[in-house]
mmCIF file of all heavy atoms in Angstrom:
data_model
loop_
_atom_site.group_PDB
_atom_site.id
_atom_site.type_symbol
_atom_site.label_atom_id
_atom_site.label_comp_id
_atom_site.label_asym_id
_atom_site.label_seq_id
_atom_site.Cartn_x
_atom_site.Cartn_y
_atom_site.Cartn_z
ATOM 1 N N THR A 359 -1.927 3.285 -8.899
ATOM 2 C CA THR A 359 -0.873 4.284 -8.699
ATOM 3 C C THR A 359 0.185 4.183 -9.794
ATOM 4 O O THR A 359 0.897 5.140 -10.047
ATOM 5 C CB THR A 359 -0.160 4.127 -7.339
ATOM 6 O OG1 THR A 359 0.403 2.814 -7.268
ATOM 7 C CG2 THR A 359 -1.095 4.367 -6.187
ATOM 8 N N SER A 360 0.255 3.013 -10.447
ATOM 9 C CA SER A 360 1.249 2.858 -11.522
ATOM 10 C C SER A 360 0.993 3.859 -12.639
ATOM 11 O O SER A 360 1.922 4.279 -13.325
ATOM 12 C CB SER A 360 1.239 1.430 -12.057
ATOM 13 O OG SER A 360 0.081 1.190 -12.815
ATOM 14 N N LEU A 361 -0.281 4.269 -12.822
ATOM 15 C CA LEU A 361 -0.582 5.275 -13.854
ATOM 16 C C LEU A 361 0.074 6.607 -13.500
ATOM 17 O O LEU A 361 0.651 7.273 -14.361
ATOM 18 C CB LEU A 361 -2.097 5.461 -13.981
ATOM 19 C CG LEU A 361 -2.849 4.354 -14.720
ATOM 20 C CD1 LEU A 361 -4.349 4.600 -14.626
ATOM 21 C CD2 LEU A 361 -2.423 4.303 -16.179
ATOM 22 N N ALA A 362 -0.006 6.994 -12.209
ATOM 23 C CA ALA A 362 0.617 8.246 -11.780
ATOM 24 C C ALA A 362 2.138 8.156 -11.911
ATOM 25 O O ALA A 362 2.795 9.126 -12.289
ATOM 26 C CB ALA A 362 0.228 8.570 -10.341
ATOM 27 N N VAL A 363 2.689 6.974 -11.618
ATOM 28 C CA VAL A 363 4.139 6.775 -11.729
ATOM 29 C C VAL A 363 4.579 6.964 -13.184
ATOM 30 O O VAL A 363 5.532 7.698 -13.479
ATOM 31 C CB VAL A 363 4.527 5.374 -11.206
ATOM 32 C CG1 VAL A 363 5.951 5.017 -11.604
ATOM 33 C CG2 VAL A 363 4.383 5.318 -9.680
ATOM 34 N N ALA A 364 3.855 6.321 -14.105
ATOM 35 C CA ALA A 364 4.214 6.439 -15.531
ATOM 36 C C ALA A 364 4.026 7.877 -16.004
ATOM 37 O O ALA A 364 4.866 8.423 -16.730
ATOM 38 C CB ALA A 364 3.364 5.490 -16.369
ATOM 39 N N TYR A 365 2.931 8.516 -15.563
ATOM 40 C CA TYR A 365 2.652 9.890 -15.960
ATOM 41 C C TYR A 365 3.780 10.816 -15.494
ATOM 42 O O TYR A 365 4.249 11.672 -16.240
ATOM 43 C CB TYR A 365 1.297 10.304 -15.384
ATOM 44 C CG TYR A 365 0.917 11.757 -15.571
ATOM 45 C CD1 TYR A 365 1.128 12.409 -16.780
ATOM 46 C CD2 TYR A 365 0.334 12.484 -14.539
ATOM 47 C CE1 TYR A 365 0.781 13.731 -16.949
ATOM 48 C CE2 TYR A 365 -0.023 13.809 -14.687
ATOM 49 C CZ TYR A 365 0.211 14.434 -15.894
ATOM 50 O OH TYR A 365 -0.133 15.745 -16.044
ATOM 51 N N PHE A 366 4.257 10.607 -14.261
ATOM 52 C CA PHE A 366 5.342 11.470 -13.787
ATOM 53 C C PHE A 366 6.633 11.220 -14.584
ATOM 54 O O PHE A 366 7.359 12.168 -14.900
ATOM 55 C CB PHE A 366 5.617 11.287 -12.291
ATOM 56 C CG PHE A 366 6.669 12.240 -11.803
ATOM 57 C CD1 PHE A 366 6.407 13.597 -11.728
ATOM 58 C CD2 PHE A 366 7.945 11.795 -11.471
ATOM 59 C CE1 PHE A 366 7.380 14.498 -11.329
ATOM 60 C CE2 PHE A 366 8.924 12.687 -11.061
ATOM 61 C CZ PHE A 366 8.642 14.041 -10.993
ATOM 62 N N ALA A 367 6.911 9.946 -14.903
ATOM 63 C CA ALA A 367 8.109 9.649 -15.713
ATOM 64 C C ALA A 367 8.036 10.387 -17.042
ATOM 65 O O ALA A 367 9.034 10.950 -17.520
ATOM 66 C CB ALA A 367 8.242 8.141 -15.925
ATOM 67 N N VAL A 368 6.831 10.429 -17.648
ATOM 68 C CA VAL A 368 6.659 11.107 -18.933
ATOM 69 C C VAL A 368 6.838 12.617 -18.771
ATOM 70 O O VAL A 368 7.520 13.266 -19.574
ATOM 71 C CB VAL A 368 5.277 10.760 -19.543
ATOM 72 C CG1 VAL A 368 4.962 11.650 -20.727
ATOM 73 C CG2 VAL A 368 5.234 9.289 -19.959
ATOM 74 N N VAL A 369 6.249 13.191 -17.705
ATOM 75 C CA VAL A 369 6.394 14.634 -17.474
ATOM 76 C C VAL A 369 7.863 14.986 -17.231
ATOM 77 O O VAL A 369 8.368 16.002 -17.724
ATOM 78 C CB VAL A 369 5.512 15.093 -16.286
ATOM 79 C CG1 VAL A 369 5.838 16.526 -15.884
ATOM 80 C CG2 VAL A 369 4.044 14.983 -16.656
ATOM 81 N N PHE A 370 8.550 14.137 -16.495
ATOM 82 C CA PHE A 370 9.961 14.400 -16.208
ATOM 83 C C PHE A 370 10.795 14.351 -17.495
ATOM 84 O O PHE A 370 11.699 15.150 -17.706
ATOM 85 C CB PHE A 370 10.487 13.394 -15.181
ATOM 86 C CG PHE A 370 11.671 13.909 -14.423
ATOM 87 C CD1 PHE A 370 11.505 14.730 -13.318
ATOM 88 C CD2 PHE A 370 12.959 13.598 -14.832
ATOM 89 C CE1 PHE A 370 12.596 15.229 -12.631
ATOM 90 C CE2 PHE A 370 14.053 14.094 -14.143
ATOM 91 C CZ PHE A 370 13.875 14.910 -13.042
ATOM 92 N N LEU A 371 10.441 13.397 -18.363
ATOM 93 C CA LEU A 371 11.110 13.282 -19.661
ATOM 94 C C LEU A 371 10.848 14.538 -20.494
ATOM 95 O O LEU A 371 11.745 15.062 -21.164
ATOM 96 C CB LEU A 371 10.610 12.024 -20.378
ATOM 97 C CG LEU A 371 11.225 11.678 -21.727
ATOM 98 C CD1 LEU A 371 12.734 11.632 -21.644
ATOM 99 C CD2 LEU A 371 10.691 10.335 -22.203
ATOM 100 N N GLY A 403 -1.984 13.461 -8.776
ATOM 101 C CA GLY A 403 -0.935 12.506 -9.171
ATOM 102 C C GLY A 403 0.119 12.359 -8.085
ATOM 103 O O GLY A 403 0.572 11.247 -7.790
ATOM 104 N N PHE A 404 0.491 13.490 -7.460
ATOM 105 C CA PHE A 404 1.466 13.445 -6.374
ATOM 106 C C PHE A 404 0.939 12.604 -5.210
ATOM 107 O O PHE A 404 1.670 11.787 -4.646
ATOM 108 C CB PHE A 404 1.803 14.867 -5.916
ATOM 109 C CG PHE A 404 2.492 14.906 -4.586
ATOM 110 C CD1 PHE A 404 3.786 14.405 -4.444
ATOM 111 C CD2 PHE A 404 1.851 15.417 -3.464
ATOM 112 C CE1 PHE A 404 4.414 14.413 -3.212
ATOM 113 C CE2 PHE A 404 2.477 15.440 -2.230
ATOM 114 C CZ PHE A 404 3.761 14.928 -2.109
ATOM 115 N N MET A 406 -1.166 10.174 -5.394
ATOM 116 C CA MET A 406 -1.129 8.760 -5.821
ATOM 117 C C MET A 406 0.287 8.200 -5.660
ATOM 118 O O MET A 406 0.482 7.059 -5.237
ATOM 119 C CB MET A 406 -1.555 8.632 -7.289
ATOM 120 C CG MET A 406 -2.988 8.992 -7.563
ATOM 121 S SD MET A 406 -4.141 7.656 -7.200
ATOM 122 C CE MET A 406 -4.038 6.669 -8.685
ATOM 123 N N ILE A 407 1.290 9.013 -6.026
ATOM 124 C CA ILE A 407 2.686 8.577 -5.903
ATOM 125 C C ILE A 407 3.045 8.372 -4.431
ATOM 126 O O ILE A 407 3.735 7.410 -4.064
ATOM 127 C CB ILE A 407 3.631 9.590 -6.594
ATOM 128 C CG1 ILE A 407 3.522 9.411 -8.111
ATOM 129 C CG2 ILE A 407 5.066 9.437 -6.125
ATOM 130 C CD1 ILE A 407 4.296 10.411 -8.923
ATOM 131 N N LEU A 408 2.520 9.260 -3.587
ATOM 132 C CA LEU A 408 2.745 9.122 -2.150
ATOM 133 C C LEU A 408 2.126 7.806 -1.648
ATOM 134 O O LEU A 408 2.721 7.085 -0.841
ATOM 135 C CB LEU A 408 2.096 10.318 -1.437
ATOM 136 C CG LEU A 408 2.742 10.820 -0.164
ATOM 137 C CD1 LEU A 408 4.201 11.159 -0.385
ATOM 138 C CD2 LEU A 408 1.989 12.043 0.349
ATOM 139 N N HIS A 410 1.640 5.159 -3.425
ATOM 140 C CA HIS A 410 2.518 4.083 -3.914
ATOM 141 C C HIS A 410 3.687 3.874 -2.965
ATOM 142 O O HIS A 410 4.003 2.741 -2.586
ATOM 143 C CB HIS A 410 3.042 4.401 -5.317
ATOM 144 C CG HIS A 410 4.252 3.602 -5.687
ATOM 145 N ND1 HIS A 410 4.169 2.279 -6.066
ATOM 146 C CD2 HIS A 410 5.575 3.904 -5.713
ATOM 147 C CE1 HIS A 410 5.391 1.814 -6.302
ATOM 148 N NE2 HIS A 410 6.255 2.776 -6.091
ATOM 149 N N ALA A 411 4.326 4.991 -2.564
ATOM 150 C CA ALA A 411 5.519 4.897 -1.709
ATOM 151 C C ALA A 411 5.173 4.236 -0.374
ATOM 152 O O ALA A 411 5.858 3.299 0.063
ATOM 153 C CB ALA A 411 6.114 6.289 -1.501
ATOM 154 N N PHE A 415 6.634 0.635 0.963
ATOM 155 C CA PHE A 415 7.463 0.451 2.159
ATOM 156 C C PHE A 415 6.786 -0.483 3.156
ATOM 157 O O PHE A 415 7.450 -1.272 3.831
ATOM 158 C CB PHE A 415 7.760 1.790 2.829
ATOM 159 C CG PHE A 415 8.551 2.722 1.959
ATOM 160 C CD1 PHE A 415 8.225 4.055 1.858
ATOM 161 C CD2 PHE A 415 9.628 2.242 1.220
ATOM 162 C CE1 PHE A 415 8.950 4.904 1.044
ATOM 163 C CE2 PHE A 415 10.360 3.088 0.402
ATOM 164 C CZ PHE A 415 10.019 4.422 0.311
ATOM 165 N N TRP A 444 14.100 6.645 2.975
ATOM 166 C CA TRP A 444 13.235 7.522 2.170
ATOM 167 C C TRP A 444 13.423 8.977 2.605
ATOM 168 O O TRP A 444 13.555 9.883 1.764
ATOM 169 C CB TRP A 444 11.785 7.086 2.329
ATOM 170 C CG TRP A 444 10.801 7.851 1.504
ATOM 171 C CD1 TRP A 444 11.027 8.400 0.267
ATOM 172 C CD2 TRP A 444 9.444 8.163 1.839
ATOM 173 N NE1 TRP A 444 9.886 9.012 -0.190
ATOM 174 C CE2 TRP A 444 8.905 8.886 0.748
ATOM 175 C CE3 TRP A 444 8.632 7.887 2.922
ATOM 176 C CZ2 TRP A 444 7.581 9.345 0.743
ATOM 177 C CZ3 TRP A 444 7.314 8.336 2.909
ATOM 178 C CH2 TRP A 444 6.802 9.056 1.831
ATOM 179 N N ALA A 447 16.778 10.189 1.297
ATOM 180 C CA ALA A 447 16.742 10.392 -0.164
ATOM 181 C C ALA A 447 15.963 11.669 -0.494
ATOM 182 O O ALA A 447 16.386 12.471 -1.339
ATOM 183 C CB ALA A 447 16.104 9.188 -0.851
ATOM 184 N N THR A 448 14.823 11.867 0.193
ATOM 185 C CA THR A 448 13.992 13.050 -0.070
ATOM 186 C C THR A 448 14.758 14.333 0.276
ATOM 187 O O THR A 448 14.777 15.279 -0.515
ATOM 188 C CB THR A 448 12.689 12.971 0.757
ATOM 189 O OG1 THR A 448 11.989 11.782 0.375
ATOM 190 C CG2 THR A 448 11.807 14.177 0.523
ATOM 191 N N VAL A 451 17.459 14.993 -2.400
ATOM 192 C CA VAL A 451 16.925 15.469 -3.689
ATOM 193 C C VAL A 451 16.499 16.929 -3.575
ATOM 194 O O VAL A 451 16.839 17.762 -4.432
ATOM 195 C CB VAL A 451 15.736 14.577 -4.139
ATOM 196 C CG1 VAL A 451 14.952 15.246 -5.263
ATOM 197 C CG2 VAL A 451 16.233 13.206 -4.572
ATOM 198 N N ALA Y 737 12.458 -3.118 -9.276
ATOM 199 C CA ALA Y 737 13.447 -2.037 -9.303
ATOM 200 C C ALA Y 737 12.754 -0.699 -9.561
ATOM 201 O O ALA Y 737 13.034 0.305 -8.896
ATOM 202 C CB ALA Y 737 14.497 -2.311 -10.370
ATOM 203 N N GLY Y 738 11.843 -0.687 -10.521
ATOM 204 C CA GLY Y 738 11.124 0.546 -10.851
ATOM 205 C C GLY Y 738 10.239 1.008 -9.710
ATOM 206 O O GLY Y 738 10.146 2.204 -9.423
ATOM 207 N N GLY Y 739 9.603 0.053 -9.034
ATOM 208 C CA GLY Y 739 8.751 0.406 -7.897
ATOM 209 C C GLY Y 739 9.563 1.002 -6.765
ATOM 210 O O GLY Y 739 9.109 1.913 -6.071
ATOM 211 N N THR Y 740 10.775 0.488 -6.578
ATOM 212 C CA THR Y 740 11.642 1.003 -5.516
ATOM 213 C C THR Y 740 12.095 2.426 -5.831
ATOM 214 O O THR Y 740 12.069 3.302 -4.960
ATOM 215 C CB THR Y 740 12.851 0.068 -5.340
ATOM 216 O OG1 THR Y 740 12.355 -1.257 -5.065
ATOM 217 C CG2 THR Y 740 13.738 0.518 -4.204
ATOM 218 N N ILE Y 741 12.488 2.663 -7.086
ATOM 219 C CA ILE Y 741 12.878 4.030 -7.476
ATOM 220 C C ILE Y 741 11.697 4.975 -7.328
ATOM 221 O O ILE Y 741 11.822 6.083 -6.787
ATOM 222 C CB ILE Y 741 13.412 4.034 -8.924
ATOM 223 C CG1 ILE Y 741 14.797 3.398 -8.953
ATOM 224 C CG2 ILE Y 741 13.449 5.452 -9.494
ATOM 225 C CD1 ILE Y 741 15.419 3.331 -10.321
ATOM 226 N N ALA Y 742 10.523 4.526 -7.785
ATOM 227 C CA ALA Y 742 9.329 5.375 -7.699
ATOM 228 C C ALA Y 742 8.959 5.656 -6.247
ATOM 229 O O ALA Y 742 8.426 6.717 -5.936
ATOM 230 C CB ALA Y 742 8.164 4.721 -8.431
ATOM 231 N N ALA Y 743 9.238 4.709 -5.347
ATOM 232 C CA ALA Y 743 8.884 4.904 -3.939
ATOM 233 C C ALA Y 743 9.876 5.828 -3.244
ATOM 234 O O ALA Y 743 9.482 6.719 -2.489
ATOM 235 C CB ALA Y 743 8.818 3.560 -3.216
ATOM 236 N N PHE Y 744 11.168 5.643 -3.501
ATOM 237 C CA PHE Y 744 12.179 6.431 -2.790
ATOM 238 C C PHE Y 744 12.367 7.830 -3.374
ATOM 239 O O PHE Y 744 12.610 8.772 -2.640
ATOM 240 C CB PHE Y 744 13.535 5.705 -2.797
ATOM 241 C CG PHE Y 744 13.641 4.647 -1.733
ATOM 242 C CD1 PHE Y 744 13.567 3.307 -2.059
ATOM 243 C CD2 PHE Y 744 13.794 4.993 -0.400
ATOM 244 C CE1 PHE Y 744 13.661 2.325 -1.082
ATOM 245 C CE2 PHE Y 744 13.890 4.024 0.592
ATOM 246 C CZ PHE Y 744 13.823 2.684 0.244
ATOM 247 N N LEU Y 745 12.305 7.958 -4.700
ATOM 248 C CA LEU Y 745 12.698 9.216 -5.323
ATOM 249 C C LEU Y 745 11.561 10.017 -5.951
ATOM 250 O O LEU Y 745 11.649 11.242 -6.042
ATOM 251 C CB LEU Y 745 13.768 8.948 -6.400
ATOM 252 C CG LEU Y 745 15.051 8.316 -5.860
ATOM 253 C CD1 LEU Y 745 15.937 7.849 -7.001
ATOM 254 C CD2 LEU Y 745 15.804 9.308 -4.973
ATOM 255 N N PHE Y 746 10.488 9.333 -6.395
ATOM 256 C CA PHE Y 746 9.412 10.069 -7.074
ATOM 257 C C PHE Y 746 8.672 11.048 -6.160
ATOM 258 O O PHE Y 746 8.322 12.139 -6.604
ATOM 259 C CB PHE Y 746 8.429 9.105 -7.746
ATOM 260 C CG PHE Y 746 8.812 8.757 -9.162
ATOM 261 C CD1 PHE Y 746 10.134 8.727 -9.557
ATOM 262 C CD2 PHE Y 746 7.835 8.469 -10.112
ATOM 263 C CE1 PHE Y 746 10.493 8.403 -10.862
ATOM 264 C CE2 PHE Y 746 8.183 8.151 -11.419
ATOM 265 C CZ PHE Y 746 9.501 8.120 -11.802
ATOM 266 N N PRO Y 747 8.400 10.688 -4.886
ATOM 267 C CA PRO Y 747 7.649 11.657 -4.068
ATOM 268 C C PRO Y 747 8.344 13.020 -3.984
ATOM 269 O O PRO Y 747 7.690 14.051 -4.165
ATOM 270 C CB PRO Y 747 7.577 10.972 -2.699
ATOM 271 C CG PRO Y 747 7.599 9.522 -3.016
ATOM 272 C CD PRO Y 747 8.566 9.408 -4.174
ATOM 273 N N ALA Y 748 9.651 13.033 -3.768
ATOM 274 C CA ALA Y 748 10.362 14.308 -3.657
ATOM 275 C C ALA Y 748 10.313 15.076 -4.975
ATOM 276 O O ALA Y 748 9.986 16.269 -5.015
ATOM 277 C CB ALA Y 748 11.810 14.074 -3.239
ATOM 278 N N HIS Y 749 10.633 14.372 -6.079
ATOM 279 C CA HIS Y 749 10.632 15.037 -7.390
ATOM 280 C C HIS Y 749 9.223 15.491 -7.785
ATOM 281 O O HIS Y 749 9.049 16.593 -8.309
ATOM 282 C CB HIS Y 749 11.186 14.089 -8.458
ATOM 283 C CG HIS Y 749 12.680 14.011 -8.467
ATOM 284 N ND1 HIS Y 749 13.479 15.004 -8.987
ATOM 285 C CD2 HIS Y 749 13.534 13.054 -8.028
ATOM 286 C CE1 HIS Y 749 14.756 14.660 -8.873
ATOM 287 N NE2 HIS Y 749 14.828 13.477 -8.283
ATOM 288 N N ALA Y 750 8.229 14.633 -7.543
ATOM 289 C CA ALA Y 750 6.851 14.983 -7.925
ATOM 290 C C ALA Y 750 6.331 16.121 -7.064
ATOM 291 O O ALA Y 750 5.629 17.002 -7.551
ATOM 292 C CB ALA Y 750 5.939 13.756 -7.807
ATOM 293 N N PHE Y 751 6.698 16.116 -5.779
ATOM 294 C CA PHE Y 751 6.259 17.210 -4.908
ATOM 295 C C PHE Y 751 6.786 18.544 -5.436
ATOM 296 O O PHE Y 751 6.054 19.525 -5.522
ATOM 297 C CB PHE Y 751 6.737 16.993 -3.474
ATOM 298 C CG PHE Y 751 6.451 18.155 -2.569
ATOM 299 C CD1 PHE Y 751 5.144 18.407 -2.161
ATOM 300 C CD2 PHE Y 751 7.462 19.012 -2.155
ATOM 301 C CE1 PHE Y 751 4.858 19.492 -1.354
ATOM 302 C CE2 PHE Y 751 7.181 20.094 -1.348
ATOM 303 C CZ PHE Y 751 5.869 20.344 -0.941
ATOM 304 N N MET Y 752 8.061 18.569 -5.842
ATOM 305 C CA MET Y 752 8.637 19.821 -6.329
ATOM 306 C C MET Y 752 8.041 20.212 -7.681
ATOM 307 O O MET Y 752 7.539 21.324 -7.850
ATOM 308 C CB MET Y 752 10.159 19.682 -6.421
ATOM 309 C CG MET Y 752 10.818 19.610 -5.054
ATOM 310 S SD MET Y 752 12.607 19.776 -5.121
ATOM 311 C CE MET Y 752 13.073 18.273 -5.937
ATOM 312 N N THR Y 753 8.107 19.280 -8.651
ATOM 313 C CA THR Y 753 7.692 19.617 -10.018
ATOM 314 C C THR Y 753 6.190 19.888 -10.124
ATOM 315 O O THR Y 753 5.765 20.760 -10.878
ATOM 316 C CB THR Y 753 8.057 18.455 -10.965
ATOM 317 O OG1 THR Y 753 9.411 18.100 -10.730
ATOM 318 C CG2 THR Y 753 7.893 18.872 -12.423
ATOM 319 N N TRP Y 754 5.394 19.139 -9.370
ATOM 320 C CA TRP Y 754 3.935 19.206 -9.532
ATOM 321 C C TRP Y 754 3.244 20.090 -8.515
ATOM 322 O O TRP Y 754 2.124 20.520 -8.742
ATOM 323 C CB TRP Y 754 3.349 17.790 -9.459
ATOM 324 C CG TRP Y 754 3.451 17.058 -10.747
ATOM 325 C CD1 TRP Y 754 3.864 17.554 -11.941
ATOM 326 C CD2 TRP Y 754 3.106 15.681 -10.980
ATOM 327 N NE1 TRP Y 754 3.813 16.573 -12.900
ATOM 328 C CE2 TRP Y 754 3.351 15.426 -12.342
ATOM 329 C CE3 TRP Y 754 2.623 14.660 -10.170
ATOM 330 C CZ2 TRP Y 754 3.128 14.167 -12.914
ATOM 331 C CZ3 TRP Y 754 2.392 13.413 -10.738
ATOM 332 C CH2 TRP Y 754 2.646 13.177 -12.099
ATOM 333 N N TYR Y 782 21.721 8.354 -14.071
ATOM 334 C CA TYR Y 782 20.717 8.400 -12.998
ATOM 335 C C TYR Y 782 19.338 8.714 -13.588
ATOM 336 O O TYR Y 782 18.352 8.033 -13.302
ATOM 337 C CB TYR Y 782 21.131 9.449 -11.968
ATOM 338 C CG TYR Y 782 20.060 9.835 -10.969
ATOM 339 C CD1 TYR Y 782 19.774 9.026 -9.876
ATOM 340 C CD2 TYR Y 782 19.334 11.024 -11.118
ATOM 341 C CE1 TYR Y 782 18.795 9.378 -8.962
ATOM 342 C CE2 TYR Y 782 18.358 11.386 -10.209
ATOM 343 C CZ TYR Y 782 18.090 10.561 -9.131
ATOM 344 O OH TYR Y 782 17.121 10.919 -8.229
ATOM 345 N N PHE Y 783 19.264 9.729 -14.438
ATOM 346 C CA PHE Y 783 17.965 10.121 -14.982
ATOM 347 C C PHE Y 783 17.424 9.078 -15.958
ATOM 348 O O PHE Y 783 16.206 8.918 -16.080
ATOM 349 C CB PHE Y 783 18.039 11.501 -15.641
ATOM 350 C CG PHE Y 783 18.005 12.627 -14.651
ATOM 351 C CD1 PHE Y 783 18.876 13.700 -14.742
ATOM 352 C CD2 PHE Y 783 17.096 12.598 -13.600
ATOM 353 C CE1 PHE Y 783 18.839 14.730 -13.814
ATOM 354 C CE2 PHE Y 783 17.048 13.626 -12.668
ATOM 355 C CZ PHE Y 783 17.921 14.700 -12.774
ATOM 356 N N LEU Y 784 18.314 8.372 -16.653
ATOM 357 C CA LEU Y 784 17.837 7.313 -17.552
ATOM 358 C C LEU Y 784 17.155 6.208 -16.747
ATOM 359 O O LEU Y 784 16.042 5.790 -17.073
ATOM 360 C CB LEU Y 784 19.000 6.737 -18.372
ATOM 361 C CG LEU Y 784 18.605 5.688 -19.418
ATOM 362 C CD1 LEU Y 784 17.633 6.275 -20.439
ATOM 363 C CD2 LEU Y 784 19.823 5.126 -20.131
ATOM 364 N N GLY Y 785 17.799 5.763 -15.667
ATOM 365 C CA GLY Y 785 17.186 4.754 -14.808
ATOM 366 C C GLY Y 785 15.943 5.291 -14.118
ATOM 367 O O GLY Y 785 14.950 4.581 -13.966
ATOM 368 N N PHE Y 786 15.989 6.568 -13.759
ATOM 369 C CA PHE Y 786 14.905 7.262 -13.076
ATOM 370 C C PHE Y 786 13.629 7.266 -13.923
ATOM 371 O O PHE Y 786 12.518 7.228 -13.398
ATOM 372 C CB PHE Y 786 15.373 8.694 -12.807
ATOM 373 C CG PHE Y 786 14.410 9.560 -12.061
ATOM 374 C CD1 PHE Y 786 14.398 9.560 -10.679
ATOM 375 C CD2 PHE Y 786 13.530 10.394 -12.738
ATOM 376 C CE1 PHE Y 786 13.516 10.377 -9.986
ATOM 377 C CE2 PHE Y 786 12.647 11.215 -12.042
ATOM 378 C CZ PHE Y 786 12.647 11.200 -10.665
ATOM 379 N N ILE Y 787 13.803 7.332 -15.253
ATOM 380 C CA ILE Y 787 12.640 7.336 -16.143
ATOM 381 C C ILE Y 787 12.297 5.920 -16.602
ATOM 382 O O ILE Y 787 11.145 5.497 -16.579
ATOM 383 C CB ILE Y 787 12.907 8.251 -17.359
ATOM 384 C CG1 ILE Y 787 12.883 9.710 -16.899
ATOM 385 C CG2 ILE Y 787 11.872 8.019 -18.451
ATOM 386 C CD1 ILE Y 787 13.395 10.676 -17.937
ATOM 387 N N SER Y 788 13.312 5.168 -17.002
ATOM 388 C CA SER Y 788 13.067 3.859 -17.625
ATOM 389 C C SER Y 788 12.478 2.829 -16.661
ATOM 390 O O SER Y 788 11.443 2.217 -16.958
ATOM 391 C CB SER Y 788 14.372 3.334 -18.208
ATOM 392 O OG SER Y 788 14.198 2.008 -18.628
ATOM 393 N N LEU Y 789 13.118 2.626 -15.516
ATOM 394 C CA LEU Y 789 12.666 1.550 -14.614
ATOM 395 C C LEU Y 789 11.237 1.766 -14.104
ATOM 396 O O LEU Y 789 10.439 0.826 -14.121
ATOM 397 C CB LEU Y 789 13.667 1.381 -13.464
ATOM 398 C CG LEU Y 789 15.017 0.793 -13.903
ATOM 399 C CD1 LEU Y 789 16.039 0.870 -12.787
ATOM 400 C CD2 LEU Y 789 14.847 -0.645 -14.370
ATOM 401 N N PRO Y 790 10.869 2.993 -13.677
ATOM 402 C CA PRO Y 790 9.468 3.177 -13.293
ATOM 403 C C PRO Y 790 8.492 2.950 -14.453
ATOM 404 O O PRO Y 790 7.354 2.539 -14.217
ATOM 405 C CB PRO Y 790 9.430 4.627 -12.806
ATOM 406 C CG PRO Y 790 10.800 4.851 -12.270
ATOM 407 C CD PRO Y 790 11.695 4.137 -13.240
ATOM 408 N N LEU Y 791 8.916 3.194 -15.699
ATOM 409 C CA LEU Y 791 8.029 2.894 -16.833
ATOM 410 C C LEU Y 791 7.774 1.390 -16.922
ATOM 411 O O LEU Y 791 6.663 0.948 -17.203
ATOM 412 C CB LEU Y 791 8.628 3.413 -18.147
ATOM 413 C CG LEU Y 791 8.532 4.918 -18.392
ATOM 414 C CD1 LEU Y 791 9.186 5.294 -19.724
ATOM 415 C CD2 LEU Y 791 7.071 5.386 -18.406
ATOM 416 N N HIS Y 793 7.960 -0.606 -14.361
ATOM 417 C CA HIS Y 793 7.120 -0.878 -13.202
ATOM 418 C C HIS Y 793 5.652 -0.691 -13.582
ATOM 419 O O HIS Y 793 4.805 -1.544 -13.318
ATOM 420 C CB HIS Y 793 7.498 0.073 -12.061
ATOM 421 C CG HIS Y 793 6.508 0.106 -10.936
ATOM 422 N ND1 HIS Y 793 6.518 -0.814 -9.927
ATOM 423 C CD2 HIS Y 793 5.467 0.939 -10.680
ATOM 424 C CE1 HIS Y 793 5.530 -0.552 -9.098
ATOM 425 N NE2 HIS Y 793 4.874 0.500 -9.531
ATOM 426 N N TRP Y 794 5.351 0.432 -14.250
ATOM 427 C CA TRP Y 794 3.985 0.697 -14.707
ATOM 428 C C TRP Y 794 3.521 -0.400 -15.671
ATOM 429 O O TRP Y 794 2.424 -0.942 -15.512
ATOM 430 C CB TRP Y 794 3.916 2.061 -15.413
ATOM 431 C CG TRP Y 794 2.703 2.168 -16.277
ATOM 432 C CD1 TRP Y 794 1.432 2.429 -15.846
ATOM 433 C CD2 TRP Y 794 2.625 1.958 -17.688
ATOM 434 N NE1 TRP Y 794 0.571 2.387 -16.918
ATOM 435 C CE2 TRP Y 794 1.270 2.104 -18.048
ATOM 436 C CE3 TRP Y 794 3.564 1.663 -18.682
ATOM 437 C CZ2 TRP Y 794 0.840 1.955 -19.376
ATOM 438 C CZ3 TRP Y 794 3.138 1.521 -20.000
ATOM 439 C CH2 TRP Y 794 1.793 1.666 -20.335
#
Side-chain angles (χ1 to χ4, degrees):
Chain A
T359 59
S360 72
L361 284 174
V363 167
Y365 173 43
F366 184 69
V368 169
V369 170
F370 204 83
L371 183 53
F404 164 68
M406 294 278 277
I407 285 175
L408 212 55
H410 161 77
F415 297 136
W444 183 32
T448 300
V451 166
Chain Y
T740 303
I741 287 179
F744 278 106
L745 299 169
F746 271 30
H749 280 284
F751 174 72
M752 290 191 292
T753 311
W754 278 353
Y782 167 79
F783 281 135
L784 184 60
F786 182 87
I787 288 169
S788 171
L789 290 170
L791 284 179
H793 167 84
W794 161 79

